[in-house]
Amino acid sequence: MTAYTATVTVRLKRGVLDPEAETTQRALERLGFELADLRSADRFEIDLDADDADAAADRAGEMADRLLANPTVHDYDVAVEQRE
Amino acid sequence: MTAYTATVTVRLKRGVLDPEAETTQRALERLGFELADLRSADRFEIDLDADDADAAADRAGEMADRLLANPTVHDYDVAVEQRE
């Protein structure tokens, strides 16, 4: 088994309202910042042991499907790195 | 001016308790997943126009310092990409 860190980034699908991001953008604009758009995402960094990188990615994807992401409103992507 | 997307990732500093991550980890373990550790982070993808990549990174860093991150408990990093 090898030690990996799988990073799962969970975003709202395009077109789904993101009140948190809108509120954050308004607050930044009130502070005088200029920005065209702002999107927020949740990121989970998961340390796990697996036979190889694909197995680590598969397991992280299963975690996203079953808990971390709501398939109705979220998209997610998985990136895997070997851990020292 | 050039169009950039600055991605600000805000994490709790090492050693700061992360109840959200602990709750998520316990829930994954109850679903039968094996994992050594889980850390959560907030990610902000900001579309902005700037003279160059450094200027875009500086502005995103200022946004983090003033609103997106609490310097007492958070670390953050900024990554910049040119937008099509």
Side-chain angles (χ1 to χ4, degrees):
Chain A
M1 297 279 255
T2 309
Y4 293 98
T5 294
T7 300
V8 180
T9 302
V10 179
R11 279 183 195 78
L12 285 170
K13 290 183 176 180
R14 291 261 167 188
V16 176
L17 268 182
D18 188 346
E20 183 188 336
E22 277 181 35
T23 306
T24 305
Q25 180 165 352
R26 296 287 166 272
L28 286 169
E29 284 164 346
R30 275 199 303 276
L31 287 171
F33 290 106
E34 279 185 34
L35 58 155
D37 190 24
L38 182 145
R39 295 170 299 281
S40 61
D42 290 324
R43 200 163 126 119
F44 299 93
E45 295 167 6
I46 303 161
D47 294 344
L48 46 81
D49 297 323
D51 291 332
D52 53 43
D54 287 342
D58 288 347
R59 193 158 357 131
E62 264 183 77
M63 291 179 187
D65 290 334
R66 296 197 55 197
L67 185 79
L68 304 178
N70 173 343
T72 317
V73 293
H74 291 135
D75 287 325
Y76 68 83
D77 57 68
V78 178
V80 173
E81 277 173 23
Q82 196 163 329
R83 207 155 29 96
E84 298 321 311
Chain B
M1 297 279 255
T2 309
Y4 292 97
T5 295
T7 301
V8 180
T9 302
V10 179
R11 279 184 193 78
L12 285 170
K13 290 183 176 181
R14 290 265 168 187
V16 176
L17 268 182
D18 188 346
E20 182 186 339
E22 277 181 34
T23 307
T24 304
Q25 180 165 351
R26 295 287 166 273
L28 287 168
E29 285 163 346
R30 274 199 303 276
L31 287 172
F33 290 106
E34 280 185 35
L35 59 155
D37 191 24
L38 182 145
R39 295 170 300 280
S40 60
D42 290 323
R43 198 165 129 121
F44 301 92
E45 295 166 7
I46 303 160
D47 294 344
L48 46 83
D49 296 322
D51 291 332
D52 54 43
D54 287 342
D58 288 347
R59 195 160 351 133
E62 262 182 78
M63 292 179 187
D65 290 335
R66 296 197 56 196
L67 184 79
L68 303 178
N70 172 344
T72 316
V73 292
H74 289 135
D75 288 323
Y76 69 83
D77 58 70
V78 177
V80 174
E81 277 174 23
Q82 196 162 330
R83 208 155 28 97
E84 298 322 311

